[in-house]
Every structure is written in structure tokens, then in C-alpha cells.
Amino acid sequence: MIDLLANLQPIVLIVMLILMYCIENVLPYLNPPANKKRHYSRNFVISLISFLINALLGTLVVMVVELTAENHWGLLNHLQLPLPVQLLAGILLFDLGSYLTHNLQHKVPFFWRFHRIHHSDNHLNVSSSLRFHPVDVIVSQFIYQCIGVILIGMPITAFVIYGSIAIPLLILQHSNVRFPRGFERFASLVFATPGWHKIHHSSEQKETDSHYGDVFTFWDRIFGTWGHKQPHEIEYGLKEFNREEHHRVAHLLVSPFKSRKTTDPE
Ligand SMILES: [Zn+2]
């Protein structure tokens, strides 16, 4: 069952991308960008790179999960917990680690240089879901996941369940689709819903540096990194990516390696 769930994840990702693309083109929530095709195609190139790196590194992370179980590494392998409690603790702790890593991606200037490529998109839609710089993917998807899995003693089942929640949620969070207000209000008590996550893409730094949770909203609530806003009240993107040329694929890939004074394209 767990093997099946793990094997289905890439298929679920692709089906969700296609499904939400269709919905947001029939019933868009906010106005699409002036040049929608160019926006989609640029993000598609970045997404394809990040998808391939993710797939490659994902195989290595799975090896680390298996090694952790075989060698009884990490916290949960040293606690005698009933299986359901162990799985729930694994999922919650892994999401807490992801929340803390996301904080570092914003607060450490070196990490932010790469992570801001995801935040630079000033029109959120399904194509923004995987708009991550390759180095950002390595930091959040690989380095953190390996360290988190080993420290937590992440059970394989918990790792697969977490991915099966996080992947579809990632697509929903970025799609340009309106979800019912009642759903947002109640679901966001537990989950980082699309409306909740979109505040994280605000161009206002106070809001950019909030709503860090990937799957659950508990951590933002506990650490006070959240607020109230609706997606239509938000201006997306980053002020330093305010020109059309800033969103070219080459610029997005190269700009983190340039000094701040020379981040404008030639
Ligand atoms: Zn972020």
C-alpha cells in the first residue's frame, strides 16, 4: 500500500498540475498576467529543471529514509511509541523542521538569494508551484530532508504519507483558483490552505516573512508568524523583480550568483 502511494506521487503531481491548469483557465480567481503564455512557458522551464533535480535527489532521500530505518537512527527509533503515535509524531516533526528550514531560507541572506526566485513571481498560478531555483531545491528538498529524516528517525510510512499530502497541497496553494471562504476558514485551522499560503507571496516583507508552514498552520500560529488577509488584497512578487526582463529564465537562474548591484539583466 505504502509502495503504491509512493509510486503514485509523480503521477498525482502531474495530474494535479493539469487539472488546476484547466480550472484556473476556465475560472480564474485573479486577473491572469498580460502575457499569460510567456508566463506559463518561462515557469515551465524552471519547473522542469526543479522537477528533474527533485526526482534525482528524491531517490537519494528515499535511500536515507531506508538507512535510517535499518540502523534505528533518530529520535523516534529510540522511543517506544505505538505505531499511530509514531507516524503522527513523524509527520508533525518533519513539518516543523520544514517550517524552521523555510525560516532560514528567508533569514539567511545566502539562502534567500536563491529562495527569492520562487517569491519573485508577481502572478501566482499553477506554474508558480515548482518555480524554484535549483540551489533552493537542493537546500530545502535535499539537505533539509536528509538531516530531518535522520534526526527525527522518520518512519518510511510517515515519509510517504507526508509527501502524499504535501505534493497536492503545493499545487493547490499556488493555483489561481478561488476556494470557498468556509473551506478556507475551517481547513486553515489545521492545513496551509491556498488562501493562507498566498499571503506568503505578498510583496510586503512583513507578509513575505510569514505563513512559512508547508502543510500545517500550527507552527505559524505557535511562533506568531501569521496574519489575516485575502488573496485579492495582496500584491504578489518582489519589488526588486519589477521589470519584465527580471523574469527571463536566464536571469532567474543567474541572478543569485551576481552581486546585488549587478542583479539587473544586461
Ligand atoms: Zn518562502
Side-chain angles (χ1 to χ4, degrees):
M1 176 67 185
I2 280 301
D3 283 351
L4 177 68
L5 207 57
N7 292 332
L8 279 177
Q9 282 181 2
I11 299 166
V12 169
L13 174 72
I14 292 166
V15 169
M16 285 291 297
L17 285 170
I18 296 170
L19 179 68
M20 298 317 285
Y21 172 83
C22 295
I23 297 175
E24 73 184 13
N25 275 280
V26 176
L27 279 173
Y29 179 12
L30 305 175
N31 288 336
N35 196 330
K36 197 165 72 173
K37 271 189 187 166
R38 189 168 58 199
H39 179 261
Y40 273 122
S41 57
R42 284 174 173 171
N43 278 357
F44 176 76
V45 175
I46 302 268
S47 299
L48 188 62
I49 298 170
S50 100
F51 177 81
L52 292 173
I53 293 174
N54 237 319
L56 194 72
L57 296 180
T59 314
L60 297 175
V61 176
V62 170
M63 287 168 65
V64 173
V65 178
E66 288 169 351
L67 276 173
T68 301
E70 280 166 26
N71 295 288
H72 304 285
W73 291 334
L75 178 70
L76 295 179
N77 283 314
H78 290 90
L79 300 175
Q80 303 299 318
L81 297 171
L83 184 64
V85 178
Q86 193 186 42
L87 296 182
L88 186 63
I91 290 167
L92 289 174
L93 287 173
F94 198 69
D95 197 57
L96 172 61
S98 178
Y99 168 88
L100 297 173
T101 305
H102 199 169
N103 267 266
L104 292 178
Q105 286 170 284
H106 281 243
K107 301 284 163 55
V108 177
F110 175 77
F111 293 155
W112 174 244
R113 292 179 81 86
F114 298 98
H115 184 59
R116 68 183 187 155
I117 300 307
H118 180 60
H119 282 268
S120 65
D121 202 343
N122 39 27
H123 288 278
L124 283 196
N125 59 33
V126 73
S127 72
S128 317
S129 311
L130 298 178
R131 176 179 156 138
F132 289 99
H133 192 281
V135 174
D136 199 27
V137 175
I138 293 169
V139 169
S140 65
Q141 305 301 313
F142 184 61
I143 297 178
Y144 161 62
Q145 290 197 359
C146 289
I147 294 172
V149 161
I150 293 170
L151 289 180
I152 295 165
M154 187 73 168
I156 295 171
T157 305
F159 184 75
V160 174
I161 294 173
Y162 184 82
S164 302
I165 302 169
I167 291 170
L169 195 54
L170 176 76
I171 312 297
L172 294 177
Q173 284 167 342
H174 297 89
S175 59
N176 186 22
V177 174
R178 178 175 210 147
F179 291 83
R181 205 170 265 211
F183 163 81
E184 283 285 349
R185 198 175 317 130
F186 289 108
S188 68
L189 294 173
V190 176
F191 293 104
T193 58
W196 174 277
H197 181 75
K198 282 186 171 72
I199 300 171
H200 184 65
H201 283 270
S202 165
S203 61
E204 294 300 322
Q205 197 186 340
K206 190 167 172 283
E207 291 164 354
T208 316
D209 294 342
S210 73
H211 294 243
Y212 291 112
D214 278 349
V215 168
F216 300 113
T217 56
F218 309 132
W219 320 120
D220 283 300
R221 292 181 190 282
I222 290 169
F223 296 108
T225 51
W226 71 292
H228 295 282
K229 234 177 186 179
Q230 297 295 318
H232 59 266
E233 298 168 333
I234 297 164
E235 187 186 330
Y236 298 118
L238 295 174
K239 293 183 172 75
E240 64 266 36
F241 286 76
N242 57 0
R243 282 166 42 194
E244 199 279 323
E245 311 91 273
H246 291 147
H247 298 273
R248 287 182 190 151
V249 172
H251 181 71
L252 293 174
L253 292 176
V254 170
S255 66
F257 299 101
K258 293 182 173 178
S259 71
R260 266 168 203 246
K261 284 177 189 160
T262 57
T263 48
D264 277 351
E266 302 76 25

